[in-house]
Amino acid sequence: MEIKFKKASLTEVECDVLVVNLFEKVKTPGGATGAVDKALDNLISAYVIKKEGFKGKLNETYVLPTHGKIPADKVLLVGLGKPEDFNLNKIREISSKVIRKTRGLKAKTVCTILHGAGTAGLEASQCAQMIAEGSLLGIYDFDKYKSKKEDDDKKKTLKTLEIVEFDEDKQEGVRQGIEKGVIIANGTNKARDLVYEPACAATPAKLAEEALAIEGLETRVIEKDEAQKMGMNTYLAVSYGSSQPPKFIHMKYTPSGKAGKKIAVVGKGITFDSGGLDLKPPAAMRMMKEDMSGSAATIGIMKAIAELKPDVEVHGIIAACENMPGASAYKPGDVLTAMNGKTIEVDNTDAEGRLTLADALYYAVKLDVDEIVDMATLTGACVVALGQYAAGIMGNDQEFIDALIDAAGAGGERFWQLPLYDDFKDDIKSDIADIKNTGGKYAGASTAGIFLQEFVDKKRWAHIDIAGTAYIDKEIKELPKGATGSGVRAILNYILK
Ligand code: BES
Ligand code: MN
Ligand code: ZN
């Protein structure tokens, strides 16, 4: 689907479906929706609202034929909800719902009003960005492995979405908003693609290939032998039980001008987490192809960064490997020496993510960046605490955490802070080594976080546990069920700000 700007009035555009909107409780639509109502001989106000009881509740839709009164074939009316609750995130959400509705209508061409730029008075470029993001996130689906594409006759026919705006002053903003929204959504959808790929396809080597394929970055893949020489023993230990070679991936984006700051984005890249010798039971193992969601987000972010070209130096780091119980697998009780020299007793081979991140984070420290943020499907405990509605965030710098929480909110994502009290350090004490890789019964997300903190020196750092948000069982706002690309929009927003 292509998203374009069109300078026109809604009453004169030719398309299969024309999208207009209505706030809750409005009886006589004004503005552009009002003009469409007039052109339809008051069909919206006199029939849809008055007779059919359309309320304008958020995401409520109503489809009506135009019978040739305007060039558009059908009009899709969407509710914006209460004006006092309306904001940019609502535009993203309704755009996703609307585009999925037009798929059901077998539309080839859709034209839409610029939601939010009328009485709501939001900035045109941002409104357009939200429409682009929501539409691309909503229309996305992963049908690569279906031999008969389910909607060959539906979705594939949706060709263009045009944002219609007559006002000369808003045109340039709308164009820029579309461009930005498309890049951000495509980065998110790239992450979703990789998460959906089964573990037999999305191997560490495949992730390396994907990283190398992104233009505009310098990408280095560190192979096992070199990683060994560099002392990445905790990361490599996790890979020992698998026949898939580990790949340590370092992508770098350098701005053309002077870099405002340097940031490292680290993603957990366990392409399959069987639990290792501490094998997971079947139900817990079933979806563990998603254990590379942090790295998928990192790749999606780097792809978007290469296109958005911000004045920030951005590093994308992934210590990719598989956690399997093969003959050479690392064992409970093993003691490993991390790249930063700390010794770790392996209490449980299923707490593997933090072991790979230990070396990945320390590698990031050595790059001399200003800030490090990691994303990881790290703990079941985080899912218990926050469900699939929010990712857990923790770190060593409150300002940094607050800025990330804000950036997530602006991207339509939710980060919820969990504590990293010094007390948690007690829980990862080992009898024979510096620390162990588990933290006991309680506060599993925080004890995992306190473990990671051991490897970031004094660098400004935040950890985002996306175990609950990377793959959802049901639709949540603009995201249909399945892989979400969790973290991509949040981190991109942070970097762009
Ligand atoms: N990859 C899992 C965490 C996970 C759980 C991700 C559910 C996505 C959905 C992680 O490697 C893991 O197994 N964590 C253990 C840690 C424990 C052994 C200390 C857990 O959370 O049970
Ligand atoms: Mn695990
Ligand atoms: Zn894992």
Side-chain angles (χ1 to χ4, degrees):
M1 176 180 63
E2 195 191 351
I3 304 179
K4 293 194 288 203
F5 162 81
K6 190 176 182 73
K7 178 178 161 55
S9 303
L10 290 174
T11 49
E12 63 187 24
V13 288
E14 216 176 293
C15 56
D16 296 329
V17 176
L18 173 67
V19 182
V20 295
N21 61 34
L22 203 66
F23 274 114
E24 202 169 317
K25 296 208 180 95
V26 172
K27 296 279 184 257
T28 23
T33 302
V36 172
D37 185 36
K38 299 254 146 44
L40 297 178
D41 299 333
N42 302 328
L43 199 57
I44 294 177
S45 47
Y47 180 72
V48 182
I49 298 173
K50 213 166 177 184
K51 290 253 166 53
E52 289 289 88
F54 183 88
K55 299 266 187 322
K57 289 200 181 308
L58 186 70
N59 296 324
E60 185 183 359
T61 55
Y62 195 98
V63 180
L64 59 152
T66 63
H67 297 301
K69 293 203 169 100
I70 56 174
D73 196 39
K74 292 186 181 94
V75 164
L76 193 165
L77 185 64
V78 61
L80 301 178
K82 297 189 177 72
E84 63 270 28
D85 293 341
F86 192 72
N87 55 33
L88 288 166
N89 284 341
K90 298 287 185 340
I91 301 179
R92 192 192 293 103
E93 181 176 343
I94 59 161
S95 299
S96 170
K97 302 263 158 91
V98 159
I99 211 77
R100 281 181 274 165
K101 184 91 187 168
T102 65
R103 176 194 281 176
L105 299 171
K106 302 193 179 183
K108 281 190 173 60
T109 54
V110 175
C111 284
T112 181
I113 190 171
L114 183 58
H115 304 295
T119 51
L122 300 171
E123 205 205 316
S125 72
Q126 293 187 313
C127 297
Q129 183 188 332
M130 294 303 111
I131 293 173
E133 281 186 25
S135 303
L136 287 169
L137 293 174
I139 202 81
Y140 172 89
D141 93 307
F142 188 78
D143 59 3
K144 181 176 163 186
Y145 292 106
K146 301 241 191 215
S147 45
K148 184 186 179 308
K149 305 286 179 226
E150 208 171 290
D151 28 18
D152 272 346
D153 50 333
K154 288 194 215 147
K155 172 201 77 180
K156 290 282 139 77
T157 59
L158 179 48
K159 290 208 171 66
T160 55
L161 168 64
E162 289 177 307
I163 300 177
V164 181
E165 177 55 57
F166 193 76
D167 185 351
E168 202 84 46
D169 298 343
K170 291 181 181 158
Q171 291 181 31
E172 193 43 40
V174 171
R175 279 212 183 83
Q176 284 170 8
I178 293 174
E179 200 184 324
K180 192 168 162 193
V182 167
I183 294 174
I184 292 174
N186 285 345
T188 310
N189 289 345
K190 177 79 208 172
R192 293 162 93 185
D193 274 343
L194 290 170
V195 172
Y196 272 119
E197 284 291 348
C200 63
T203 58
K206 169 73 177 171
L207 292 183
E209 209 178 282
E210 289 284 342
L212 287 164
I214 303 171
E215 280 173 44
L217 306 176
E218 276 169 80
T219 299
R220 173 178 173 212
V221 177
I222 301 174
E223 304 289 340
K224 181 183 165 181
D225 290 348
E226 200 185 340
Q228 215 143 28
K229 279 185 201 126
M230 293 166 78
M232 297 186 180
N233 299 309
T234 60
Y235 156 52
L236 291 175
V238 174
S239 77
Y240 289 158
S242 167
S243 54
Q244 292 292 339
K247 302 278 173 182
F248 189 100
I249 305 160
H250 178 187
M251 297 165 268
K252 182 182 179 190
Y253 162 78
T254 313
S256 54
K258 195 179 152 2
K261 66 174 163 191
K262 302 178 185 180
I263 177 164
V265 179
V266 180
K268 172 174 172 181
I270 299 295
T271 60
F272 189 74
D273 182 11
S274 71
L277 285 169
D278 287 307
L279 200 65
K280 285 182 186 290
M285 200 192 297
R286 172 63 181 89
M287 284 310 293
M288 279 304 126
K289 68 170 186 180
E290 68 159 298
D291 215 16
M292 37 61 76
S293 297
S295 65
T298 303
I299 289 173
I301 289 165
M302 294 308 291
K303 175 177 145 61
I305 287 295
E307 292 167 37
L308 292 163
K309 302 187 180 21
D311 287 327
V312 181
E313 183 176 300
V314 189
H315 297 262
I317 295 157
I318 301 165
C321 70
E322 239 184 18
N323 185 24
M324 296 289 280
S328 338
Y330 79 130
K331 304 164 205 68
D334 282 357
V335 175
L336 314 167
T337 305
M339 194 183 178
N340 75 345
K342 293 199 178 166
T343 58
I344 302 160
E345 183 179 16
V346 177
D347 185 51
N348 189 315
T349 62
D350 197 13
E352 85 298 337
R354 63 197 76 181
L355 296 174
T356 61
L357 289 167
D359 286 338
L361 288 170
Y362 193 66
Y363 179 93
V365 167
K366 292 282 138 199
L367 294 174
D368 199 32
V369 291
D370 302 302
E371 293 165 347
I372 303 173
V373 58
D374 77 73
M375 292 168 293
T377 45
L378 205 62
T379 66
C382 190
V383 193
V384 172
L386 304 175
Q388 303 190 320
Y389 300 113
I393 183 169
M394 52 216 102
N396 57 9
D397 185 297
Q398 195 55 43
E399 247 178 72
F400 187 37
I401 292 170
D402 288 341
L404 284 163
I405 291 173
D406 285 351
E413 293 197 68
R414 285 199 194 98
F415 289 173
W416 189 265
Q417 189 173 359
L418 299 172
L420 275 192
Y421 306 128
D422 276 347
D423 306 68
F424 289 127
K425 288 180 180 167
D426 271 354
D427 300 319
I428 59 165
K429 276 189 178 141
S430 158
D431 290 337
I432 63 164
D434 296 339
I435 48 174
K436 63 182 163 101
N437 75 333
T438 59
K441 262 203 287 200
Y442 309 126
S446 290
T447 54
I450 211 81
F451 178 95
L452 297 180
Q453 195 177 46
E454 294 287 322
F455 304 92
V456 295
D457 276 10
K458 299 239 149 14
K459 280 270 183 288
R460 199 176 306 151
W461 157 79
H463 156 63
I464 299 154
D465 194 329
I466 57 169
T469 52
Y471 203 103
I472 55 181
D473 305 334
K474 60 162 194 195
E475 173 180 348
I476 302 175
K477 296 191 294 168
E478 61 272 16
L479 296 166
K481 72 170 187 174
T484 60
S486 177
V488 174
R489 287 177 281 154
I491 305 297
L492 283 175
N493 269 336
Y494 175 76
I495 293 172
L496 294 176
K497 233 176 152 195

